[in-house]
Amino acid sequence: MTEAAPLAETHRLTEARSPEPALLGQRARHRADADPTPHAGESAPTGSLPAGLLRTARPKQWVKNVLVVAAPAAAGQLFTVHALTELALVLALFTACSAAVYLVNDARDAEADRAHPTKRHRPVAAGQVPVPVAYAVGGTLAVLAPAAAAWLTTPAVAVLLAAYLAMQLAYCVSLKHVLVVDLVIVTTGFLMRAVIGGLALGIPLSRWFLITTGFGALFMVSAKRYSEAVQMAGTAGATRALLTEYTTGYLRFVWQLAAGVAVLGYCLWALEEGGVPHTSVLPWRQLSVVAFILAVLRYAVFADRGTAGEPEEVVLGDRALALIGLAWLTMYGLAVADW
């Protein structure tokens, strides 16, 4: 056998073991498709600017603003033309304020969000909405909403909206990194939503309404924080840096305390003197306590498991909790109608 023969045989075997260039290209494309993470030098995701601004404004979170009807509903003054018109305007203004806060928050956190596995898909972090545009639109809404409130509604509404914006923007800048204060600010945001409807219509706010609403909001906020802490335990890069400073034991204590005070406040309202019905067949005001406590206990199941995320997702995602909430709302409405 000549010397060229072994060399030819070796070359033939090497070619047999080597994948075809086309196959290598297919594998490279498959790996690129499987890893959607943008790399340095790649172009930002495309998409329309208005759609990106809308996504940044968090439409799913707007359901929280429905709380503006809480005080008029509690006072039995909801279903009048004046009330519905005024509350629709207040709802729109509060939604504009919350959208402004989300836009400024995402613009400020864009750099940090790009390093997060989920938040990097937010329109500002992904480059769909330029940071200056997010700041500009958010700032414009933050100025126009209180100004429109001062012109179209009462001065008290305008002041409350301005206070909400100042508090939430301070939260975005620094207060979200302060222990306990962050819980108080988020809770106060819920309470402001519940109070503003009463201010718009000049309705006196019951002390039991404020206690139950405030501590009910703290219950849901601290339950959400507790769930985040449980899910992120032992994981680097928590969604909120402050979660590393809270202990799960402390957050559990907070949501349990808040749940207890909310239930106590509601019971005192339902059983206080003057709450006995005169025309109803059944004592709806007192019976609503059962549904309220069942709702709190059911929600606490998710809090204890560490799966209590956004309150609206918990309520709408659990059929039993949604039915309990509907039963409570029905009994509460019948109680208010009997006043």
Side-chain angles (χ1 to χ4, degrees), residues 102-229:
Y102 286 127
L103 285 161
V104 173
N105 177 75
D106 282 13
R108 179 177 175 79
D109 293 346
E111 203 61 42
D113 287 348
R114 291 188 184 104
H116 191 275
T118 303
K119 294 181 180 181
R120 64 189 175 88
H121 297 298
R122 288 178 174 177
V124 180
Q128 182 180 353
V129 176
V131 170
V133 173
Y135 272 126
V137 176
T140 302
L141 289 174
V143 172
L144 291 180
W151 181 41
L152 299 173
T153 64
T154 65
V157 171
V159 170
L160 189 143
L161 287 177
Y164 172 83
L165 284 167
M167 183 183 68
Q168 293 297 325
L169 292 175
Y171 174 84
C172 294
V173 173
S174 63
L175 295 184
K176 64 182 177 182
H177 304 298
V178 182
L179 282 170
V180 181
V181 173
D182 72 308
L183 295 176
V184 172
I185 287 180
V186 178
T187 299
T188 304
F190 279 97
L191 187 58
M192 285 180 166
R193 289 174 171 89
V195 165
I196 195 169
L199 292 179
L201 298 177
I203 298 172
L205 300 172
S206 162
R207 62 185 184 277
W208 303 127
F209 172 81
L210 295 174
I211 291 173
T212 304
T213 304
F215 281 94
L218 179 60
F219 166 50
M220 292 186 290
V221 170
S222 54
K224 181 186 175 185
R225 288 286 193 275
Y226 172 78
S227 298
E228 291 174 340

Side-chain angles (χ1 to χ4, degrees), residues 73-77 269-270 274-286 329-339:
Q77 300 183 29
W269 165 79
V276 179
H278 300 288
T279 59
S280 292
V281 176
L282 294 173
W284 297 115
R285 185 166 174 163
Q286 288 76 20
L329 189 61
T330 301
M331 287 187 281
Y332 185 85
L334 289 170
V336 170
D338 188 45
W339 287 357

